[in-house]
């Protein structure tokens, strides 16, 4: 539909479509038609204080948005004004989402809450599937859909650093969980008497010549050495390994790692959308 709409809009402008302002306007009009005519999916990654929204047209990511907890009701309302053709929604969790927000979503669209009971595009061999976090379920779903018949290690560099392995036989085996960068800084400050609370910085010294420099060196190098070490451990057993790096710290970490990796900040959102498609009534 979007190609037809673009051709129609382009015909209205004739030769002027080659002009950049007219081209931008034609694209905007095309997107407007898509919003009106195509059924869309909404994925919501529910955090403790921050919510991340993504609108999909099929498997195409149309737009990403985010808001803080106190603004979620108004944000949801505005989303459905901008995208009236949203027909289905998936929530990664309802833990920090108010009952008012959930009720509003259920009034506006069909809602699926991700859990270990959801249909997924792989076999879950985790011994305690009910304890597997929805973010990890979604990340492995994205790996299964994007890299079929591949051994895939998904590394999520967020509040915690998670490692999840999907085999070439499409079986989720498990992984590991470690403290994230911010958590390591906070731990050094909270569990010692005098160490200051710092935030990550782009430039670090291999050998810290001050307390702050030593903290930065220890945290950042500790994380990168850990990730490279875990990757090598997997590569010893799975030589043709595909590695995905995602999460809030993905791009910060990417250039510091010695291994070849794919960095994809939308991997979780894409996984949620794949699962939503599988669970539509």
């Amino acid at each position: 539909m979007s190609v037809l709409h673009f051709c129609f809009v382009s015909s209205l402008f004739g030769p002027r479509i080659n002009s950049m302002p007219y081209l931008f306007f034609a694209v905007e009009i095309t997107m407007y038609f898509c919003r009106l005519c195509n059924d869309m999916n909404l994925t919501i990654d529910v955090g403790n204080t921050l919510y991340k929204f993504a609108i999909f047209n099929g498997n195409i990511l149309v737009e990403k948005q985010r808001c803080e907890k106190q603004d979620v009701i108004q944000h949801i309302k505005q989303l459905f004004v901008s995208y009236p053709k949203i027909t289905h929604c998936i929530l990664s969790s309802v833990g920090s989402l108010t009952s008012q927000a959930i009720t509003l979503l259920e009034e506006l669209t069909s809602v699926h809450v991700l859990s270990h009971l959801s249909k997924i595009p792989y076999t879950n061999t985790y011994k305690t599937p009910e304890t597997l976090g929805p973010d990890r379920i979604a990340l492995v779903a994205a790996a299964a859909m994007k890299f079929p018949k591949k051994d895939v290690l998904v590394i999520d560099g967020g509040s915690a650093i998670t490692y999840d392995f999907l085999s070439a036989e499409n079986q989720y085996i498990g992984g590991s969980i470690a403290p994230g960068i911010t958590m390591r800084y906070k731990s050094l400050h909270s569990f010692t008497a005098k160490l200051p609370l710092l935030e990550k910085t782009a430039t670090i010294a291999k050998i810290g010549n001050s307390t702050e420099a030593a903290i930065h060196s220890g945290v950042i190098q500790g994380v990168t050495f850990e990730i490279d070490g875990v990757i090598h451990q997997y590569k010893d057993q799975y030589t043709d390994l595909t590695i995905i790096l995602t999460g809030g710290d993905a791009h910060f970490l990417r250039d510091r790692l010695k291994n070849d990796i794919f960095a994809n900040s939308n991997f979780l959102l894409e996984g949620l959308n794949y699962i939503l498609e599988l669970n539509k009534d």
Side-chain angles (χ1 to χ4, degrees):
M1 289 294 289
S2 60
V3 174
L4 293 175
H5 287 140
F6 184 76
C7 291
F8 169 72
V9 173
S10 299
S11 68
L12 298 179
F13 295 101
R16 291 176 295 177
I17 195 65
N18 294 321
S19 171
M20 192 60 69
Y22 285 104
L23 179 60
F24 284 142
F25 183 67
V27 170
E28 287 297 320
I29 293 294
T30 301
M31 292 303 298
Y32 175 74
F33 277 126
C34 288
R35 293 175 186 177
L36 292 181
C37 299
N38 294 344
D39 290 344
M40 292 186 167
N41 292 339
L42 172 64
T43 69
I44 306 179
D45 179 17
V46 181
N48 292 322
T49 59
L50 193 67
Y51 302 146
K52 300 175 185 177
F53 302 82
I55 297 90
F56 285 85
N57 182 354
N59 289 328
I60 305 301
L61 177 59
V62 177
E63 185 174 356
K64 293 191 299 180
Q65 299 179 7
R66 60 176 59 196
C67 77
E68 295 185 351
K69 184 175 183 178
Q70 65 270 18
D71 302 321
V72 67
I73 296 295
Q74 186 58 39
H75 196 89
I76 290 172
K77 291 179 180 178
Q78 185 56 51
L79 263 177
F80 280 85
V81 171
S82 301
Y83 295 94
K85 295 296 288 183
I86 292 174
T87 59
H88 291 78
C89 169
I90 185 170
L91 302 175
S92 67
S93 170
V94 294
S96 62
L97 202 59
T98 65
S99 58
Q100 183 183 4
I102 295 172
T103 300
L104 176 61
L105 283 168
E106 290 174 340
E107 291 173 351
L108 293 169
T109 189
S110 175
V111 178
H112 178 79
V113 180
L114 178 57
S115 75
H116 68 285
L117 300 176
S118 300
K119 296 176 185 177
I120 52 177
Y122 56 90
T123 302
N124 188 354
T125 68
Y126 210 56
K127 286 189 176 181
T128 56
E130 69 279 358
T131 69
L132 185 62
D135 52 344
R136 298 175 71 191
I137 295 173
L139 289 170
V140 178
M145 299 300 290
K146 285 182 169 292
F147 301 98
K149 299 181 181 179
K150 295 283 188 179
D151 292 318
V152 185
L153 177 64
V154 183
I155 305 171
D156 184 5
S159 300
I161 298 173
T162 58
Y163 304 84
D164 291 291
F165 178 71
L166 180 75
S167 73
E169 291 74 35
N170 203 37
Q171 290 187 332
Y172 172 62
I173 308 302
S176 52
I177 305 172
I181 292 175
T182 300
M183 192 180 298
R184 297 182 194 217
Y185 278 117
K186 288 182 176 179
S187 295
L188 286 173
H189 174 67
S190 299
F191 294 103
T192 61
K194 295 183 179 180
L195 292 181
L197 177 60
L198 304 178
E199 295 183 353
K200 66 177 183 283
T201 180
T203 304
I204 64 165
K206 291 184 178 180
I207 302 175
N209 60 3
S210 68
T211 297
E212 290 195 3
I215 292 172
H216 286 307
S217 177
V219 170
I220 302 304
Q221 289 194 104
V223 168
T224 54
F225 291 160
E226 173 193 301
I227 294 175
D228 275 326
V230 171
I231 290 172
H232 282 300
Q233 183 182 37
Y234 276 89
K235 280 187 171 181
D236 285 342
Q237 186 170 352
Y238 305 97
T239 53
D240 188 20
L241 183 67
T242 298
I243 306 161
I244 307 298
L245 181 63
T246 189
D249 288 327
H251 293 287
F252 177 83
L253 290 168
R254 178 184 57 189
D255 297 332
R256 292 171 169 79
L257 298 173
K258 296 179 180 179
N259 287 274
D260 291 330
I261 57 175
F262 295 99
N264 184 342
S265 58
N266 299 324
F267 213 61
L268 173 61
L269 299 173
E270 292 169 350
L272 288 172
N273 187 57
Y274 291 137
I275 294 174
L276 178 55
E277 287 291 328
L278 288 175
N279 287 273
K280 286 183 177 180
D281 297 329

